[in-house]
Amino acid sequence: MTHHYTTEIKWTGNRGSGTSGYKEYDRSHTLNIKGKPELLCSSDVPFNGDGSKHNPEDMLVASLSACHMLWYLHLCADAGVIVIDYTDNATGVLTLDPKTAGRFTSVTLNPLVKVKELWMIEKANALHEEAHRKCFIANSCNFPITHNPKSFC
């Protein structure tokens, strides 16, 4: 079975002279997905972008974090682990290389999970491994993705 996804990216950063020079255009663009709110996007600040807008690097880290969380919650529900709260402060490392421009070299997920009962903590922590193995986004990446979960009651 396959699923297909369609997005539209539209560059909105033409200041009047197009890409006549590297510093002559904005990196602003919109991300549109049918039936969903438009996202205002740009490149990251070190790459002449607008720091108030979403950038591809942030979205990659967020995609990994969200996919892991969604699989994790599914697995917890199946295992009888009742999650009351879930927060992840994920971090990613982009390493620049003059030969290849750069690439992500790691992402670390830091889920903080509150469960309903004390006996659920051990199982809650263990389910992160299975969630990692099932995560569609993680399975599509060629760099290490680690997680440092902490569960409490």
Side-chain angles (χ1 to χ4, degrees):
M1 175 183 287
T2 60
H3 297 271
H4 300 268
Y5 299 88
T6 302
T7 65
E8 177 191 71
I9 295 285
K10 179 163 180 50
W11 177 51
T12 59
N14 186 346
R15 294 181 189 154
S17 62
T19 57
S20 61
Y22 183 71
K23 297 209 177 217
E24 302 305 314
Y25 63 96
D26 278 350
R27 276 54 177 179
S28 298
H29 55 283
T30 57
L31 167 60
N32 292 291
I33 301 169
K34 187 177 180 178
K36 300 177 184 179
E38 179 179 83
L39 289 179
L40 302 179
C41 304
S42 183
S43 61
D44 198 6
V45 173
F47 311 109
N48 296 315
D50 180 344
S52 70
K53 296 178 181 174
H54 298 283
N55 66 62
E57 296 81 12
D58 288 338
M59 288 191 277
L60 176 66
V61 175
S63 293
L64 284 162
S65 178
C67 188
H68 180 89
M69 178 193 69
L70 293 169
W71 266 111
Y72 178 77
L73 295 174
H74 174 127
L75 295 168
C76 284
D78 287 351
V81 174
I82 300 170
V83 175
I84 304 299
D85 193 37
Y86 184 108
T87 304
D88 182 15
N89 292 300
T91 60
V93 177
L94 176 69
T95 302
L96 299 180
D97 178 342
K99 294 178 185 171
T100 63
R103 65 186 214 74
F104 271 87
T105 53
S106 69
V107 168
T108 302
L109 307 181
N110 298 292
L112 183 60
V113 180
K114 182 177 182 180
V115 295
K116 186 173 182 179
E117 297 184 31
L118 193 59
W119 68 266
M120 296 175 179
I121 292 175
E122 186 176 341
K123 182 70 174 173
N125 284 333
L127 287 171
H128 285 283
E129 283 297 326
E130 188 175 355
H132 177 70
R133 284 192 304 275
K134 292 185 179 254
C135 175
F136 307 138
I137 309 300
N139 285 323
S140 302
C141 295
N142 66 351
F143 53 84
I145 300 158
T146 57
H147 52 277
N148 298 312
K150 292 183 178 71
S151 297
F152 65 98
C153 183

